Amino acid sequence: MASASADRPIRQALFLARYAQLGNLALAAEQAAVSKRVVHHWKATDPAFAEAFAEAQAQAVEVLEAEARRRAVEGVEEPVFQGGKQVGT
């Protein structure tokens, strides 16, 4: 069975990949099976992780900005109801 420290690089890489995609620390930590507290500990004690975290955060911001622009330009379809029935979008 692998120790927690041997598993750390895998969990860090998974967390960073998910964080870059999601832009949400809590969800990324959950998907990497670590706590937010552990992520904050890594940032405080591991300069390489802190740098990688900053890069993942910058990627996440770009992803979120792109989605905001897409929604602003293309819009988002939402159902339209009349008399309790959907009549369009």
Side-chain angles (χ1 to χ4, degrees):
M1 182 177 199
S3 70
S5 61
D7 208 24
R8 181 176 172 166
I10 295 167
R11 294 210 185 274
Q12 285 180 336
L14 178 58
F15 167 79
L16 291 168
R18 299 306 294 145
Y19 184 55
Q21 293 172 338
L22 298 169
N24 183 295
L25 192 142
L27 286 175
E30 180 181 313
Q31 291 184 11
V34 297
S35 69
K36 292 190 309 183
R37 184 180 202 158
V38 166
V39 173
H40 291 298
H41 174 74
W42 289 342
K43 283 175 40 185
T45 61
D46 183 342
F49 179 80
E51 184 176 334
F53 180 90
E55 290 173 15
Q57 190 169 40
Q59 290 174 4
V61 167
E62 289 179 7
V63 168
L64 295 171
E65 286 177 347
E67 179 61 12
R69 283 188 187 98
R70 184 195 68 76
R71 290 181 184 208
V73 172
E74 297 174 17
V76 178
E77 286 197 25
E78 295 184 3
V80 175
F81 293 91
Q82 184 174 19
K85 296 185 180 187
Q86 185 172 345
V87 294
T89 56

